[in-house]
Amino acid sequence: MKANVIVFEAAILIFFLFFYHGSSRAMGKSRNRAFFTGALLYSLAIQTVAVLGGVMNFYWYQQNNYYKHYPLGGYIIWLGLVPLAAGLLFYMVAAMTQMLSTVMIPKAGVWARSALAGAIAVGFYLLIEPIAITNHWWTWNLKSFYIIDIPLVALFGVFAAVFLFNAVYTLTVLEARDQKNLKKFEDRTAKKLLKTNHHPGNLNWRQLQWLFLYRLLMSLVVFAAFMTPVIVIFWAVANRGQIPPNW
Amino acid sequence: MANKRIELEQYKHFVNLLEEEPNRKTARRGFLTCAIVMVLLVVGLIVMGFMSTNLARNPSNVTSKPQPKTSTPTGTQVPSGTEVPSGTQLPSGTQTPMAPTDKLMSDAGPARLIDTRPGDLLAQAQSSTPTPINISAPSTSPGSVTSPGKPAAKPLPTTTSGAGNLGNLANGAGARGLDIYVLVLGIALMIVIYLGVRRVRLEGKTK
């Protein structure tokens, strides 16, 4: 038996069902639903950009003769260019690290907790990546610096994504705060759209969800701003080039 | 009292959200469920890591190209790793001696059956056979011209070497490198999850 993509996808889908049930109880149904939707959209946005930019792809099995008897050649459920399983994996890792960081250092600040969550998430992906690339669940195709065939950019990306996502979730949904630096900007944009001038703590749940989505979009900009120099630096010290386009 | 009622009415969604907050016992059980699922996921990944060791030992497995689905006309065998200049015609009846395979390319090596009728353009075969990528030196496409006086800039290899290569890890420590890596990391993650579970259990006992 091989740890092929079907095994990976089936395992993730089964684990997800149990995990979602558990996290609904741990976080509360509405909050977990918001966390799940946010995490799925967040990872989808990042990975879709990565696929479009030629950084990674999920298509090895689709092109492989050996797996042609599998339905659709590889992953079964796709969200555009990215398989659902990849998004669910991000959700499970982000939610688990969020809960762990809250439980382990409950009195620490938001940023420290988010940093711990990001660090634990990197641990998870350090375990997942070698198995994923060996079995071609996904393929990294970026000119970059690689350690055990994992581009360091990917690990920085996981840290930044989980850190920012958890920070936004905590600041918007759990603690519902205004950000000093962003307050003026949010008052002029998001709160105008929501037709309210209330403190986030006094928004109703629907408005809070929209604010969460808005802040996630803003954090994607921050993510891009963080990742650009990281990609450039590792591009400059790359030890592996891009796989030819006709691959 | 009236003011309080008005205030509650005004912020009823917020109050509902507070009510939605699960009680600590339910939250603790939910956390334990999540922790158990993630531990099982980690165990599953460790097992899959063990299953992947054979593949990972091949240093070029990670960047090995997939075997294309498309088939070419019947009659002639051509190795998939062979680059043939476009426009070249196969002599009728020519067969390149390669073992037929139905395995993963990374397992079986670059071998593949392609049938061709005598006189068919080999370019047709090449169009369905991507250029090989298991190379350490940069490949030059057929027909490409390099000026003799100018040393071309050396492009980066498409495979990694040294610590950058997973194959080196997998072949290290008596060919148990990847197993040990996956096991150590998996145990570390399980310990982190256990620390969280212990905190939650302590909270449950004290309250």
Side-chain angles (χ1 to χ4, degrees):
Chain A
M1 185 180 172
K2 286 187 188 299
N4 63 37
V5 77
I6 303 291
V7 175
F8 167 66
E9 191 175 35
I12 290 295
L13 288 176
I14 292 167
F15 283 131
F16 163 74
L17 292 177
F18 289 101
F19 188 91
Y20 190 86
H21 174 71
S23 59
S24 285
R25 299 176 83 181
M27 294 183 185
K29 279 182 188 171
S30 302
R31 289 176 185 188
N32 183 51
R33 205 160 43 234
F35 193 99
F36 169 66
T37 312
L40 203 61
L41 291 175
Y42 203 71
S43 68
L44 192 65
I46 292 171
Q47 293 185 94
T48 301
V49 170
V51 171
L52 287 175
V55 173
M56 69 188 301
N57 68 66
F58 297 89
Y59 310 133
W60 197 88
Y61 283 83
Q62 287 201 322
Q63 301 163 18
N64 196 306
N65 199 36
Y66 182 68
Y67 287 99
K68 68 182 177 187
H69 55 276
Y70 284 108
L72 301 179
Y75 290 102
I76 296 167
I77 307 168
W78 290 81
L79 299 173
L81 302 173
V82 179
L84 175 68
L88 296 183
L89 182 66
F90 180 83
Y91 157 70
M92 289 200 286
V93 170
M96 190 72 237
T97 54
Q98 201 276 332
M99 287 187 254
L100 277 174
S101 61
T102 310
V103 164
M104 288 167 91
I105 44 172
K107 286 174 187 172
V110 175
W111 303 110
R113 270 187 279 157
S114 303
L116 178 65
I120 298 172
V122 169
F124 272 106
Y125 272 85
L126 270 172
L127 176 65
I128 295 163
E129 284 284 352
I131 304 162
I133 56 174
T134 301
N135 295 292
H136 305 283
W137 297 344
W138 55 78
T139 308
W140 291 103
N141 188 20
L142 175 71
K143 181 187 169 190
S144 184
F145 189 81
Y146 286 74
I147 288 183
I148 54 167
D149 278 317
I150 307 168
L152 287 187
V153 169
L155 300 178
F156 275 87
V158 165
F159 177 83
V162 173
F163 172 81
L164 286 170
F165 184 83
N166 277 319
V168 169
Y169 176 76
T170 309
L171 290 173
T172 312
V173 178
L174 290 186
E175 298 179 4
R177 280 195 220 157
D178 260 333
Q179 282 300 294
K180 276 182 194 170
N181 307 333
L182 295 172
K183 190 175 182 320
K184 277 187 182 174
F185 181 69
E186 279 189 351
D187 284 347
R188 270 182 280 165
T189 53
K191 288 187 181 171
K192 261 193 179 176
L193 288 171
L194 296 173
K195 292 173 186 169
T196 178
N197 207 15
H198 284 158
H199 182 274
N202 296 333
L203 296 177
N204 67 42
W205 177 235
R206 179 174 281 273
Q207 288 171 327
L208 204 61
Q209 280 177 304
W210 280 113
L211 185 65
F212 178 48
L213 192 66
Y214 175 81
R215 285 183 174 177
L216 279 183
L217 278 174
M218 291 299 108
S219 75
L220 277 176
V221 177
V222 177
F223 178 81
F226 171 76
M227 287 308 292
T228 306
V230 172
I231 290 173
V232 169
I233 288 167
F234 285 117
W235 183 284
V237 295
N239 64 351
R240 194 184 107 183
Q242 267 190 313
I243 301 170
N246 60 350
W247 180 87
Chain B
M1 189 62 192
N3 284 346
K4 186 72 182 169
R5 197 181 305 134
I6 290 165
E7 199 180 331
L8 280 175
E9 186 62 30
Q10 197 174 358
Y11 297 128
K12 63 179 181 185
H13 298 289
F14 179 59
V15 173
N16 285 347
L17 187 61
L18 279 183
E19 281 171 359
E20 204 249 358
E21 179 106 9
N23 67 51
R24 292 309 299 161
K25 195 175 175 185
T26 309
R28 277 198 297 274
R29 282 189 181 168
F31 177 80
L32 286 177
T33 308
C34 292
I36 290 167
V37 171
M38 288 311 275
V39 166
L40 288 176
L41 178 65
V42 168
V43 171
L45 286 168
I46 291 172
V47 172
M48 285 195 247
F50 288 168
M51 292 189 327
S52 311
T53 305
N54 283 337
L55 274 177
R57 280 185 197 142
N58 177 1
S60 59
N61 166 62
V62 171
T63 50
S64 70
K65 64 186 169 188
Q67 211 169 348
K69 275 179 181 176
T70 49
S71 60
T72 44
T74 54
T76 307
Q77 294 177 359
V78 177
S80 66
T82 310
E83 269 193 84
V84 188
S86 57
T88 309
Q89 284 191 335
L90 268 181
S92 58
T94 303
Q95 281 199 334
T96 336
M98 293 301 296
T101 176
D102 196 25
K103 288 182 183 176
L104 270 174
M105 176 166 277
S106 49
D107 292 342
R112 170 168 169 262
L113 276 173
I114 296 174
D115 301 329
T116 316
R117 279 189 298 274
D120 279 350
L121 282 174
L122 192 58
Q124 281 179 327
Q126 194 199 7
S127 69
S128 65
T129 312
T131 50
I133 56 154
N134 299 345
I135 45 168
S136 52
S139 65
T140 51
S141 58
S144 66
V145 181
T146 50
S147 55
K150 255 187 185 174
K154 194 182 170 189
L156 279 169
T158 52
T159 50
T160 47
S161 58
N165 197 302
L166 183 63
N168 288 344
L169 174 75
N171 287 314
R176 288 266 163 225
L178 184 65
D179 295 353
I180 294 168
Y181 171 85
V182 165
L183 202 59
V184 168
L185 207 56
I187 289 170
L189 282 171
M190 284 193 272
I191 289 171
V192 170
I193 294 171
Y194 171 72
L195 289 176
V197 168
R198 202 178 65 165
R199 286 249 177 182
V200 167
R201 284 182 135 183
L202 282 176
E203 182 200 300
K205 278 179 187 170
T206 52
K207 286 182 181 172

